[in-house]
Amino acid sequence: MAGWLWRDFIRKRAWWLAVALVLMTIEGAMLGAFSFLIQPLFDDVLIAGRAELVVWVGLAMAAVILLRGAARLSNRIITAHLAKKTRAEMQEHVLAHLLRLDLGFYQNHSPGHLIERVQGDSQAVHALLRGLITGVGRDGASLIGLLAVALYMDWLWTLIAVIGIPMLVMPMLALQRRIRAKSAQARRNAAEVSNRLDEVFHGISTIQLTGTEARESGRFHQVVEKHRRAATRTVIAQDAAPTVMDVAAALGFAMVITYGGMQIIDGDRTVGQFMAFFTAITLMFEPVRKLSALAAQWQNILASAERVYELLQIQPHITSPAPPHAPVPGRAACDIDIRGVHFAYGREPVLRGLDLRAEAGQTTAIVGPSGAGKTTVFALLARMVRPQEGQVLIGGQDTAQMDLAALRGLFSVVSQDTALFDDSIRDNILMGRPDVPDAELRAACEAAHVTEFTDQLPEGLDTRAGPRGSALSGGQRQRVAIARAILRDAPILLLDEATSALDARSEALVQAALERLAKGRTTLVIAHRLATVRKADRILVMDHGQVVETGTHAELLALGAHFARLHALQFADG
Ligand SMILES: Nc1ncnc2c1ncn2[C@@H]1O[C@H](COP(=O)(O)OP(=O)(O)O)[C@@H](O)[C@H]1O
Ligand SMILES: [Mg+2]
């Protein structure tokens, strides 16, 4: 588990890590040096009364403390850079990985869970580096140095002092298992908390309109409460580890003071030796506590690291095939041919042996009841989903054999719910084409009737769209999406109820712009309002994941079946 962390994130900084460790070792070793100086302080200066040495011992102690401080500060600086850089890198790495995963993955992993992993779990690496460096370096070196001084002063005293430690092995191991389990649970619960927050903030108007604020507060309380419980247990278990050490230390202390005290009174040992030994043992407390806490923290880190690792192991199913790739057809040759496609998101089949053709350069409309699978056809074309059976051909070439980016480059899509980002309206329109000349941008904005509302705004196209485009109305968002599609200038145009959010007048205007845009392109239009598809070259009627009728508007009406029924319903509705 620690292997991949090392390989992917830490190894490249191994030199700095080594420098930090050396500095830490100096910091730690100075504690040993300090306690060592206690003996001459007592035996030679205080008890023997050699006044000429007092300055030197004082200076030596000051030097030791200063050196320790300098080593500590430079190490802190290096460690801070190292840990923060590694964390940032890991976050970027995880996001880059997530960006490649299939749509299907996102249906099973809520935004809150994913945010928690990118944010919270990457914290583990941070903790790992800091804990490792300070633990192994400083606390390890302190411990070894102090132990050496203690042994040098009296090995038997030392043995007596640490005699209780082996008894602690079993309880410590049990404690660690518990910490690991609790901390994994706390991480899962943290994800639930993020998830609730994400849903609440995105659904805020629905919550307020349905008057369910209290219910949301209650649900939030529950997940927070769950998280609190698991997190508290983790902390308590973690803090229990050093306390277990204390028990052993208290035992050792009592025995050493009794035994050592007797020896000094009998004149077998000097006061200086005892004081130096005692200082060393006392100073050992802190590193031992820290190290035992680190062992516990390590479990915590592993729980997080494992989650990130699992995430990184998930591979996208939809990727570019190995070369040679099928050629991407030219602009004039983009006829679409879907053959015998079966597809299901979950268990329930959505497309059931779908056959669908759309001629290059023509406008083909797809109509049918909601849930018929129309939007899924668009996802299929751009390989956002993979058919379980059947083929999708564009220009006679199998799309599964094309380079994925090149394939997706064939499409301009305007859908019911195009995502806008919290950038300026201009940036939202320019997405993926930042180098468009101003005149072209202006023309696209006019054609999509974006200027109609941006001209009213004090900051015009530089107005921010708000989180998820929330500063714009549904109709305005749709017009931004249309301007984006116009600029993208791709050979195939996919319009999924692209004008559904517009009022009748804007719809007529934008419709005209879209018809101009559709000229010379292979266009697929999904529309609810049958009036908008009257001019299509051909109309396909979909029902239950199949094309059930094909023809022109007039032909389908004359057929007197599905289409005629849909048509009659709409006229009855008015
Ligand atoms: N992301 C999804 N996950 C699971 N089921 C989905 C998803 N998208 C659509 N469906 C299901 O697939 C069926 C067809 O959906 P869709 O293609 O959006 O229909 P249409 O656009 O014709 O209204 C529906 O029954 C819907 O519940
Ligand atoms: Mg749809």
Side-chain angles (χ1 to χ4, degrees), residues 223-242:
V223 292
V224 167
E225 203 37 32
K226 240 167 75 183
H227 178 240
R228 183 190 64 75
R229 256 178 261 137
T232 310
R233 288 194 187 128
T234 315
V235 171
I236 292 176
Q238 260 179 36
D239 287 346

Side-chain angles (χ1 to χ4, degrees), residues 185-399:
Q185 195 187 337
R187 302 300 309 147
R188 277 196 300 278
N189 296 344
E192 269 176 49
V193 172
S194 299
N195 206 30
R196 286 304 323 143
L197 289 175
D198 177 68
E199 297 217 317
V200 165
F201 298 142
H202 282 134
I204 187 67
S205 42
T206 308
I207 293 168
Q208 290 178 346
L209 286 172
T210 51
T212 46
E213 293 92 339
R215 173 170 163 269
E216 286 303 328
S217 291
R219 284 172 68 179
F220 188 62
H221 172 74
Q222 277 175 7
V223 292
V224 167
E225 203 37 32
K226 240 167 75 183
H227 178 240
R228 183 190 64 75
R229 256 178 261 137
T232 310
R233 288 194 187 128
T234 315
V235 171
I236 292 176
Q238 260 179 36
D239 287 346
T243 308
V244 171
M245 295 302 297
D246 283 348
V247 173
L251 203 73
F253 243 64
M255 295 199 297
V256 166
I257 289 178
T258 319
Y259 179 67
M262 294 308 287
Q263 281 185 309
I264 293 170
I265 294 168
D266 292 347
D268 293 346
R269 286 281 187 280
T270 67
V271 173
Q273 281 172 328
F274 186 77
M275 287 311 292
F277 172 83
F278 199 72
T279 311
I281 291 286
T282 313
L283 288 177
M284 238 186 261
F285 262 87
E286 203 46 32
V288 168
R289 279 167 147 276
K290 290 244 174 76
L291 283 173
S292 62
L294 182 71
Q297 206 190 0
W298 180 251
Q299 301 301 318
N300 228 332
I301 291 168
L302 282 186
S304 275
E306 238 164 55
R307 291 161 59 84
V308 177
Y309 184 70
E310 272 168 27
L311 198 60
L312 291 175
Q313 291 316 103
I314 298 175
Q315 290 305 321
H317 296 297
I318 302 175
T319 52
S320 259
H325 296 136
V328 170
R331 188 166 276 266
C334 286
D335 58 304
I336 291 168
D337 188 1
I338 297 178
R339 293 185 186 165
V341 164
H342 286 264
F343 173 76
Y345 291 99
R347 286 237 175 92
E348 194 58 26
V350 173
L351 303 179
R352 313 158 197 242
L354 175 78
D355 293 305
L356 182 154
R357 283 195 55 81
E359 300 304 327
Q362 293 198 349
T363 295
T364 306
I366 305 179
V367 301
S370 106
K374 306 182 294 294
T375 300
T376 306
V377 170
F378 282 9
L380 186 71
L381 285 172
R383 269 193 95 206
M384 302 296 285
V385 299
R386 249 190 339 177
Q388 274 115 23
E389 220 180 285
Q391 269 187 319
V392 180
L393 308 179
I394 296 180
Q397 301 287 338
D398 188 347
T399 54

Side-chain angles (χ1 to χ4, degrees), residues 306-512:
E306 238 164 55
R307 291 161 59 84
V308 177
Y309 184 70
E310 272 168 27
L311 198 60
L312 291 175
Q313 291 316 103
I314 298 175
Q315 290 305 321
H317 296 297
I318 302 175
T319 52
S320 259
H325 296 136
V328 170
R331 188 166 276 266
C334 286
D335 58 304
I336 291 168
D337 188 1
I338 297 178
R339 293 185 186 165
V341 164
H342 286 264
F343 173 76
Y345 291 99
R347 286 237 175 92
E348 194 58 26
V350 173
L351 303 179
R352 313 158 197 242
L354 175 78
D355 293 305
L356 182 154
R357 283 195 55 81
E359 300 304 327
Q362 293 198 349
T363 295
T364 306
I366 305 179
V367 301
S370 106
K374 306 182 294 294
T375 300
T376 306
V377 170
F378 282 9
L380 186 71
L381 285 172
R383 269 193 95 206
M384 302 296 285
V385 299
R386 249 190 339 177
Q388 274 115 23
E389 220 180 285
Q391 269 187 319
V392 180
L393 308 179
I394 296 180
Q397 301 287 338
D398 188 347
T399 54
Q401 302 305 322
M402 292 181 194
D403 174 67
L404 192 60
L407 168 68
R408 289 186 180 158
L410 288 175
F411 301 97
S412 278
V413 184
V414 183
S415 63
Q416 291 153 292
D417 51 356
T418 311
L420 296 197
F421 298 92
D422 191 8
D423 293 322
S424 66
I425 295 178
R426 180 196 307 278
D427 289 340
N428 268 294
I429 294 174
L430 289 178
M431 259 183 88
R433 282 201 62 191
D435 49 354
V436 170
D438 246 19
E440 199 183 334
L441 172 66
R442 185 81 202 163
C445 288
E446 301 218 328
H449 294 265
V450 168
T451 35
E452 204 179 281
F453 69 91
T454 51
D455 285 351
Q456 318 285 320
L457 299 168
E459 290 179 73
L461 281 178
D462 293 314
T463 310
R464 290 183 79 84
R468 293 182 148 197
S470 55
L472 304 182
S473 76
Q476 289 169 340
R477 281 203 289 274
Q478 220 159 38
R479 286 186 263 181
V480 168
I482 290 168
R484 197 190 272 172
I486 292 175
L487 280 185
R488 192 167 155 86
D489 190 29
I492 304 178
L493 185 60
L494 302 181
L495 304 173
D496 189 351
E497 303 189 20
T499 57
S500 58
L502 300 183
D503 59 88
R505 192 189 68 91
S506 313
E507 181 172 20
L509 292 171
V510 172
Q511 197 65 45

